[in-house]
Amino acid sequence: MSITVFNDADLLRLEQLLTPLSASGSTMRPDEVQGFFAALASGPDAVDADFWLEDVLGDAPAFENPDDQAELKVLLQKLFDATRDALAAGEELDLILYADEDSEEEGEPDYWPWANAYLYALDLVDTDWFEVAEEDEGFESLMMPMLVLGGAFEDEEGGEDLLTFTDEEVEGYKEELNDALVAVFSYWRAKEKAPSTVRREGDKVGRNDPCPCGSGKKYKACCGSN
């Protein structure tokens, strides 16, 4: 399998194009874009640039240079493809993370924007992941690193959080993030390949019962003979 490579030069150029736009608006930063793409590439919904480009750009103003706009689209598609290909190959993502400005430790990577953008993607796709996976007890466990790091259990209105986690637990989820991303991607691929159950509508027709097609013959001598 050929894996698309998104290298350091690509990231630098993406930062040059996106970061000024994201500084004062709703345009995603490169770390958010990668988290957003990781979810979109993992789930059961087929998406393309027409689906995700508007959300990535947010309220960005029109580009003065059409070449910059075209280059940005190419770089974003390359990052999407590289993210999808790495997950499909079971490889760890080279996570795009920036320093946490609120951390006391200098250079501490901030996982929240990345994981929160991952969760944001789940609000946009047609499939409700948790509803579809409701009967699969292990699915929520697979999602825990993204849920915890993305703030899913935090009360946005300043009240009491739904769940709280120790610093050690949070650090553990950071370490588990890449494995969880691959596991969720694999979960949905297995779900796609699982045979669907065809449920019979109406009562079962016996071999000696009249054929439901209305021929007057017994089922075994009519439609049931095929």
Side-chain angles (χ1 to χ4, degrees):
M1 174 182 175
S2 176
I3 298 178
T4 305
V5 176
F6 189 84
N7 59 33
D8 290 343
D10 294 327
L11 176 57
L12 177 60
R13 183 57 180 152
L14 184 63
E15 290 173 333
Q16 292 171 342
L17 292 169
L18 274 186
T19 303
L21 301 175
S22 64
S24 58
S26 62
T27 304
M28 292 186 185
R29 303 187 320 190
D31 55 343
E32 294 170 314
V33 175
Q34 189 188 40
F36 185 56
F37 283 173
L40 293 180
S42 296
D45 298 282
V47 299
D48 55 21
D50 291 336
F51 181 91
W52 47 254
L53 184 60
E54 183 177 348
D55 283 285
V56 170
L57 293 180
D59 58 5
F63 283 82
E64 296 181 4
N65 185 347
D67 291 340
D68 286 347
Q69 183 175 2
E71 183 182 8
L72 175 58
K73 289 183 179 179
V74 170
L75 285 170
L76 289 170
Q77 186 64 60
K78 191 174 185 181
L79 178 56
F80 183 92
D81 293 344
T83 302
R84 178 202 59 213
D85 292 352
L87 293 174
E91 296 184 358
E92 291 189 352
L93 295 182
D94 187 5
L95 296 176
I96 301 172
L97 299 171
Y98 298 118
D100 186 350
E101 297 178 355
D102 297 327
S103 175
E104 297 179 357
E105 297 185 27
E106 186 175 353
E108 180 74 14
D110 188 0
Y111 284 77
W112 188 89
W114 198 104
N116 189 258
Y118 185 102
L119 299 180
Y120 173 63
L122 273 58
D123 292 332
L124 300 181
V125 294
D126 291 335
T127 301
D128 184 326
W129 286 20
F130 291 95
E131 182 177 335
V132 172
E134 184 177 6
E135 297 180 357
D136 299 327
E137 296 181 359
F139 180 73
E140 188 167 340
S141 296
L142 296 180
M143 289 289 297
M144 281 300 288
M146 291 76 90
L147 292 170
V148 173
L149 298 175
F153 301 107
E154 297 173 3
D155 190 309
E156 297 178 357
E157 298 180 358
E160 186 176 347
D161 292 343
L162 299 176
L163 290 174
T164 57
F165 301 88
T166 65
D167 291 343
E168 290 77 11
E169 288 174 324
V170 172
E171 289 303 313
Y173 285 125
K174 290 178 181 179
E175 294 178 3
E176 295 171 11
L177 177 59
N178 249 315
D179 287 341
L181 296 172
V182 172
V184 169
F185 182 95
S186 299
Y187 169 86
W188 287 114
R189 300 294 78 73
K191 198 81 169 174
E192 289 174 353
K193 296 177 181 178
S196 58
T197 301
V198 178
R199 299 190 181 278
R200 182 178 58 250
E201 296 182 2
D203 296 331
K204 180 179 179 180
V205 180
R207 283 174 47 78
N208 292 313
D209 291 339
C211 189
C213 75
S215 66
K217 299 179 180 179
K218 291 184 178 181
Y219 178 67
K220 66 181 180 181
C222 189
C223 295
S225 64
N226 297 327

